[in-house]
Amino acid sequence: MEPSATLATGFGPQGALARAGDFVLLGGPAMWAIALLSVATLALILWKVMQLLAFGAWSGGRHTARALDQWTQGQHQAAMDGLATRTSLRASHALGAMRATANPAMDREGAEAEATRIGRALLTKARSGLRGLELAATVGPLLGLLGTVTGMIAAFQALQEAGSRADPAALAGGIWEALLTTAAGMAVAIPAQMALAWFDSVVDHLAEDMEDAATRILHAPGLNKPGMNKSGDRMSITPQAPATEQFRAAE
């Protein structure tokens, strides 16, 4: 059966799969590339959701908040013990900042640098895979456009060869088949861009929570380390900040 005939008939799961296969065949090599890109994009989105779940991105940070309350009340060892078994990014960063602050070999500046280093390393892990989604959102429409251009070239070549016997219906069929790749490329890029924006917002929220926790830990009442910064400036641990900038003044 010709692809065009299969597209016009068939319902249910098997019919949908057959139509999807025909779309891929009609689109040519560009459609195959888009199909592979769509599978990779879906797998990346699912993996990223599972990774952020494992990192405790949506847990709310209840254990970390309780440990921070203990820390500010002077119960330093109890706060660190409460976070020792936690694996979330918030807890890992807070525990690292607490240990650095409690380390008598580190002055205040060294503890701040260590907390910043730990936070940036954790946020880099949280942002892993986002470049892949960004690439899918960019490349998908370009692949679709490439398939459309090559399909239009083939359609007009066939029209030229037919000469005066050219069939407008055949030309129209060739054009809509070429446009399939553009639609497919956009169908991949739109979900990829939406997922990228969502994951970015989740990581940004994590960064805000981690910066707030580091500030509370390093400037808790009763701490008296050499070089203590009493201004209460808010720390910055976001990877986008230059490495030489260790603080971000609160507005």
Side-chain angles (χ1 to χ4, degrees):
M1 182 179 294
E2 293 297 326
S4 57
T6 306
L7 286 172
T9 60
F11 298 94
Q14 292 183 347
L17 289 175
R19 289 194 298 274
D22 288 334
F23 280 138
V24 174
L25 292 175
L26 287 171
M31 186 67 86
W32 281 104
I34 293 173
L36 293 175
L37 182 64
S38 67
V39 173
T41 301
L42 178 60
L44 184 58
I45 291 174
L46 294 177
W47 170 78
K48 194 63 188 176
V49 170
M50 295 176 63
Q51 184 197 48
L52 290 176
L53 281 172
F55 286 165
W58 297 287
S59 65
R62 294 184 300 274
H63 296 281
T64 304
R66 182 165 58 249
L68 289 174
D69 290 338
Q70 292 175 327
W71 181 267
T72 55
Q73 294 168 8
Q75 304 174 31
H76 298 165
Q77 190 58 48
M80 289 188 285
D81 291 343
L83 296 176
T85 59
R86 311 305 303 178
T87 59
S88 69
L89 293 187
R90 293 183 183 91
S92 298
H93 177 252
L95 181 59
M98 289 177 181
R99 287 174 174 170
T101 305
N103 187 350
M106 284 189 178
D107 59 8
R108 173 62 55 171
E109 184 177 352
E112 289 173 345
E114 178 65 9
T116 301
R117 183 192 67 81
I118 295 173
R120 288 178 178 171
L122 291 173
L123 288 178
T124 298
K125 289 175 59 178
R127 293 184 183 277
S128 62
L130 297 188
R131 287 296 180 89
L133 286 176
E134 184 178 358
L135 182 64
T138 302
V139 173
L142 295 179
L143 286 174
L145 181 60
L146 176 63
T148 297
V149 170
T150 55
M152 294 287 287
I153 291 174
F156 281 107
Q157 281 181 336
L159 179 64
Q160 180 184 19
E161 293 173 358
S164 59
R165 302 187 307 276
D167 184 4
L171 177 62
I175 292 175
W176 79 260
E177 289 174 4
L179 291 175
L180 282 177
T181 57
T182 296
M186 295 177 65
V188 173
I190 292 173
Q193 187 61 50
M194 292 175 63
L196 177 62
W198 178 40
F199 292 142
D200 266 333
S201 68
V202 171
V203 175
D204 288 343
H205 182 64
L206 275 174
E208 288 291 329
D209 288 349
M210 292 163 67
E211 289 174 4
D212 180 72
T215 302
R216 292 181 62 186
I217 292 167
L218 292 164
H219 299 281
L223 292 178
N224 187 19
K225 274 185 170 288
M228 180 176 180
N229 183 355
K230 297 184 178 297
S231 65
D233 287 349
R234 184 184 179 90
M235 289 186 60
S236 176
I237 57 174
T238 53
Q240 294 88 344
T244 56
E245 295 180 7
Q246 301 208 357
F247 303 96
R248 182 177 64 194
E251 296 181 354

